[in-house]
Amino acid sequence: MRLDQYLAKACGLSRSAARTAVRAGKVKRNGTVCKAADTALSAQDEVVYEGKPVVWREFVYIMLDKPAGILSAARDARERTVVDLVAKDYPGRALFPAGRLDKQSTGFILLTDDGALAHELLSPKKHVEKTYEVVLDTPVTREMVQGFEQGVTLADGETMKPAKLLCDETRPCFARVVLTQGVYHQIKRMFGVYGAGVNELRRVAIGEVVLDDALGLGGFRELTERELASLKR
Ligand code: URA
């Protein structure tokens, strides 16, 4: 890989900012200043930028607390997307959301450029649980709980995998739903079978990784090593 490409990707710089940094003599290769942006690096080369060793990260993994009104897509011609919310901090990265939330839903979106991990997390065969908090326009019923447990058949005839519906005795219209698949509008359609509308929907966990409360809507941070290891497991 070229030095400017490497620097851009590893340090989150744009390609032109990386080139400028190299030409300005801010980058050393194996202890010597290197001003040629097109220098081809080998795997053993050590790069230092502004005095700090550059640590190569092949992929990044970002936990975002998606606000309502933002599209779960990499880019869109008209509307703001989840990637737009973080793009400034990751200019060299082809990020995308690993899984979608509806435009009005909020909560945990994992943004990454690791296609293989995203594929695993989304595969129904891997049974990765996604946990949602839901506010309904009507109380949760025993019929709903049993139906979710057995696998709800949607209005179009498709039967969903068994899901957990956990209610809260102090809040009759509030529930936690745990799914292992991601069908379009799945939760809204599952409750729709029982004539219930979803007023609020928030994803709070993917697998064992719980959305960080401290982020707040629109906030994001990278996964810790422990969180990433748990997702990879
Ligand atoms: N199910 C839905 O209906 N909407 C979401 O955003 C996620 C799951």
Side-chain angles (χ1 to χ4, degrees):
M1 189 182 284
R2 288 168 52 127
L3 178 58
D4 55 350
Q5 278 177 322
Y6 177 83
L7 196 66
K9 201 158 180 193
C11 299
L13 301 174
S14 67
R15 279 288 287 282
S16 69
R19 256 193 311 275
T20 307
V22 174
R23 289 188 190 134
K26 293 181 180 175
V27 180
K28 284 185 179 171
R29 173 175 163 246
N30 302 328
T32 311
V33 170
C34 176
K35 291 192 174 182
D38 62 354
T39 302
L41 295 180
S42 72
Q44 293 75 38
D45 284 341
E46 281 172 15
V47 177
V48 171
Y49 169 48
E50 292 187 325
K52 289 190 213 101
V54 175
V55 181
W56 174 253
R57 292 184 305 159
E58 188 168 15
F59 301 121
V60 292
Y61 306 89
I62 301 159
M63 173 193 287
L64 166 74
D65 188 346
K66 175 188 152 345
I70 303 286
L71 281 192
S72 292
R75 64 190 69 80
D76 187 82
R78 273 165 305 202
E79 306 212 35
R80 287 230 294 162
T81 71
V82 286
V83 170
D84 292 337
L85 298 180
V86 310
K88 193 165 60 62
D89 291 10
Y90 297 90
R93 300 263 172 190
L95 295 172
F96 59 89
R100 289 165 187 264
L101 288 173
D102 294 340
K103 189 171 169 190
Q104 289 313 319
S105 301
T106 65
F108 194 168
I109 285 274
L110 176 68
L111 296 168
T112 185
D113 46 3
D114 181 348
L117 181 72
H119 180 77
E120 300 264 298
L121 292 177
L122 299 176
S123 163
K125 289 196 195 110
K126 301 287 172 175
H127 305 289
V128 178
E129 293 190 333
K130 283 102 188 170
T131 307
Y132 301 82
E133 290 179 352
V134 181
V135 179
L136 299 177
D137 62 2
T138 178
V140 178
T141 64
R142 185 181 296 242
E143 193 197 357
M144 291 177 196
V145 175
Q146 285 168 352
F148 274 53
E149 216 170 78
Q150 283 157 14
V152 174
T153 300
L154 301 180
D156 66 1
E158 194 184 354
T159 300
M160 299 293 96
K161 286 173 176 287
K164 291 179 205 150
L165 174 54
L166 312 161
C167 27
D168 178 341
E169 276 169 20
T170 62
R171 298 170 68 191
C173 296
F174 174 85
R176 279 185 160 237
V177 176
V178 184
L179 302 181
T180 56
Q181 62 185 146
V183 171
Y184 182 65
H185 285 339
Q186 184 170 346
I187 292 180
K188 289 177 188 151
R189 290 162 74 199
M190 286 167 80
F191 281 111
V193 168
Y194 301 93
V198 172
N199 287 343
E200 286 171 38
L201 201 159
R202 180 167 171 76
R203 181 156 62 200
V204 293
I206 299 176
E208 285 166 14
V209 181
V210 176
L211 178 64
D212 186 340
D213 270 347
L215 292 175
L217 291 171
F220 60 92
R221 67 159 169 80
E222 290 188 23
L223 295 187
T224 63
E225 278 182 27
R226 182 183 278 216
E227 288 168 338
L228 180 59
S230 133
L231 286 188
K232 288 189 170 171
R233 248 193 333 265

